[in-house]
Amino acid sequence: MEKTLRDWRAILIFVGPALLLYTLVLLVPIAWSLGYTFYEGSPIAGFKFVGFTNYLRLTEDPNFLKALWFGTKYALLVSTGQVLFGLLLALLYAFYLKRSSALVRTLVFLPVVLPTVAVAQLFVKIFAIAPQYGLVNSVLQSVGLEHAVQAFLGQGSSAFWIIAAMDIWKSMGFYAILLYTGLVDIPEDTLEAARLDGAQGWSLARFVVLPLLAPITIASLIFSFNGTLKVFDSILALTGGGPGNATTPLTLYMYKTSFTYGEYGYGSTLALTLAIQCLLVTLLIFWRSRNRGAE
Amino acid sequence: MNIPTRIARLSPLVLLSILLSPASAQSNKTIVFLSPQPVTQGYTKTILDLSQAYTKQKPGVKVQYQNADQTQLQQQLERLGAADNLPTLFSAPANTQTVQLAQKGLLVDIEATFKKLGIYNQLNPAAVSINKQLFSGKLIALPLELNIEGFWYNKKLFADNGVKEPKTWNELVTAAEKFKQKGIQPFSASGEQKWPLTRLIGNYAARKYGSDVMQRVAKGQLKLTDAGFVEAATAVADLGKKGYFGLGVNTIDYQTALDTFMQGKAAMLYMGSWALGNFNDPKQNKIGNSNIGFFNFPTVQGGKGTLNDWNMNTGLVVAISQKQNDAALQAWMKSVFSNFGNKAFAEQGLITGFKVTQRAQNVPALTTMVQQKINSAKSPFLFFEALFGPKAFAVSLDNVQPLITGDMSPQDYLRDLQAAQK
């Protein structure tokens, strides 16, 4: 084995094709995109070199800060929601439903496999106000809360909560399964020993189950956080980033800047900030978990 | 001899004749038509109907329809244009993006091609002139519509409530208030499409500064942050603040806005005359064709614009990809666009940028009235975004939603717009 790994030709043959493909489809476009950050224009209008102008523009663009804040706020809320509800569901499967949880697991998992656009259409109808009231507004009206009837998706404040609720609902089944597999792996002996020592309910969860589940919880958080920072399809399908740019995260802002405004250079700069943000978050979570491990 | 055997014996002959026929190789052509209109409506229907007749005679030619989301059209074309993969025929946004595509040599020069094909005289000179204004003086897109815009109103609701056609902005607002008091939604508008709202700002500004207002903005003689624009944006935002557009205006899509008016649930609708196709369809129009009236955007106090200035345009124009401009496409173009004006007018009552040479029978009164208005319009002017770049175009539309709900001030709306217009 060691001999094989020392043989450069063997390495080249085994790793070469994959590395070449990886370079072509990933590294080259990344480098290309980095190059664009020093240019301005579009393939149709033509490009010109602008130096660091795009980076300077980031610092004084209120829409960039707004999109960055929206994306971060959204990622924090939705990741917490997805992992927390996933965890609660996993505990429910493992400790209360036990063997009979298959049906519930399937039902909760179902939204994960549904296309985002279909789920978004469902939510659009639930929160509709015109031409007919959707489910929510109809219920509000029928219980006499006529004054609370509103265009939930037509105003930034409420649209944010609906997008968050939709994404939590859609993905919590996935995290529930992920965490459930972790729970199933906890040896029954350990739990039994803890029970004999008097650990029950919350204290059992707090001191035994959750610490043993920590590695998977952290992995789930990283998955979830990086996924939600890059949110795109659900917002595009639900509000299109509107009204105005009230629900526009960095991804959508980048997309609009490049492909609607025809500013590919500035769009690439926005993409770079998003990549850095994702990297920082991942490093932060790893760093935290490593420190914990050292304690 | 049974039929399959006969076919089997004939088939080598058929094959040979296909192989030997020079026309077959040349007429194999797929024409892709990208349009945001559904196949049952507007110029898309007429083009597809005419194509169907054409492809029956020329089986080698296929016409493929692709639907585009109008709010995403610009992005889609930006991508397709960059990849040099434009559809054969496509609805194009009336802004500088289309000019850029033409400058890159990606679009067919309609004037030259139509002259070569001998069908240039099919075009209505007024439509050509409006279209050229949009695109730096060149005819790079087909004027498949010739539209006039204004307020359509429900005559019965007006009469029942003692409201007359408003001539001034104050009369319009007073009328709206009266309807609202009676529990009738004053205006139906699609905030989801956004442009029906920015049109109001553009018209107000044209009444304030005169019909050449947006040309003056393009030349830098006026700024979008000037007092007249602030007044215009404030006036339109106030309509939203007072609830004159009904509930959830930003979630109302185009068809819902039309339906609300055609079902008698709203008193007025700001819209272009392309909607005649809908108004003339009794299945859609429940209030009756003769119950619809039309008036020009009212004048504003101290403004230079008059009721003789009409907001006119050639609609969502259609450009043609130069890459696909071959003999087969030109033969198709000649056939389809020789009959386009007559067919669109006869079957849908559509007023297009093509001449109508055959008088259709039973033309709806509403269509005749609109045609008269178009013929008598003195100084046509273009819509608000017509001369904006792609960014200002998008910013103007996106931000009108928070403007109308009061989440963005008129000053901020115009500041962002002016910044995007650089």
Side-chain angles (χ1 to χ4, degrees), chain B residues 101-346:
Chain B
L101 288 173
Q103 281 166 350
K104 283 219 79 172
L106 299 175
L107 303 184
V108 167
D109 179 340
I110 306 276
E111 187 163 348
T113 308
F114 270 38
K115 276 182 179 160
K116 185 182 140 200
L117 296 175
I119 50 172
Y120 188 69
N121 59 358
Q122 292 279 337
L123 291 167
N124 178 338
V128 170
S129 136
I130 293 175
N131 223 24
K132 284 184 170 175
Q133 266 186 50
L134 265 174
F135 300 121
S136 322
K138 282 202 168 148
L139 192 65
I140 50 173
L142 289 165
L144 295 184
E145 296 173 358
L146 181 57
N147 300 308
I148 193 159
E149 295 184 10
F151 283 100
W152 306 84
Y153 67 96
N154 186 320
K155 283 185 185 168
K156 185 169 182 303
L157 289 179
F158 267 53
D160 289 352
N161 294 286
V163 177
K164 286 197 184 114
E165 281 186 13
K167 300 268 186 250
T168 66
W169 182 261
N170 286 340
E171 285 174 22
L172 182 78
V173 175
T174 312
E177 184 58 33
K178 200 165 189 178
F179 285 120
K180 199 190 165 206
Q181 295 297 333
K182 295 271 174 74
I184 301 162
Q185 184 179 322
F187 302 102
S188 177
S190 166
E192 189 255 353
Q193 286 286 311
K194 306 166 194 171
W195 59 260
L197 302 174
T198 59
R199 286 291 209 274
L200 303 177
I201 302 173
N203 279 315
Y204 195 107
R207 291 291 183 259
K208 190 77 193 170
Y209 289 109
S211 61
D212 60 346
V213 58
M214 296 320 287
Q215 266 101 343
R216 284 159 69 194
V217 170
K219 284 180 197 154
Q221 294 163 350
L222 279 177
K223 276 207 154 123
L224 291 163
T225 43
D226 288 350
F229 285 103
V230 176
E231 186 187 320
T234 309
V236 176
D238 280 348
L239 299 181
K241 213 181 283 175
K242 288 177 185 154
Y244 293 159
F245 294 110
L247 292 168
V249 58
N250 287 336
T251 63
I252 306 283
D253 61 30
Y254 177 76
Q255 194 58 44
T256 305
L258 281 184
D259 288 342
T260 307
F261 176 71
M262 291 191 294
Q263 290 165 6
K265 292 179 197 155
M268 289 173 270
L269 170 79
Y270 182 87
M271 191 52 69
S273 52
W274 58 82
L276 280 174
N278 304 85
F279 296 155
N280 290 336
D281 177 3
K283 272 189 232 136
Q284 293 183 57
N285 183 0
K286 302 292 175 205
I287 57 174
N289 192 308
S290 57
N291 191 20
I292 296 179
F294 182 63
F295 62 88
N296 199 351
F297 195 91
T299 56
V300 304
Q301 211 170 10
K304 286 186 186 146
T306 71
L307 290 178
N308 287 326
D309 311 337
W310 285 91
N311 192 327
M312 280 177 75
N313 62 65
T314 47
L316 196 58
V317 295
V318 166
I320 304 169
S321 164
Q322 175 63 25
K323 200 177 164 187
Q324 309 261 352
N325 189 12
D326 53 18
L329 180 70
Q330 290 183 1
W332 173 84
M333 279 201 273
K334 187 167 181 177
S335 160
V336 167
F337 294 115
S338 298
N339 300 312
F340 178 81
N342 285 329
K343 189 170 171 82
F345 186 72

Side-chain angles (χ1 to χ4, degrees), chain B residues 336-403:
Chain B
V336 167
F337 294 115
S338 298
N339 300 312
F340 178 81
N342 285 329
K343 189 170 171 82
F345 186 72
E347 289 181 3
Q348 293 185 75
L350 290 179
I351 297 160
T352 68
F354 285 67
K355 285 179 194 159
V356 177
T357 47
Q358 297 157 4
R359 289 313 306 174
Q361 286 170 345
N362 305 325
V363 177
L366 204 55
T367 301
T368 313
M369 183 266 284
V370 168
Q371 208 169 24
Q372 281 164 359
K373 297 249 184 204
I374 289 178
N375 292 340
S376 66
K378 291 279 181 298
S379 45
F381 64 94
L382 290 166
F383 53 93
F384 195 41
E385 289 90 2
L387 303 173
F388 285 172
K391 184 169 185 187
F393 193 91
V395 168
S396 161
L397 294 174
D398 282 349
N399 285 348
V400 81
Q401 291 190 325
L403 175 75

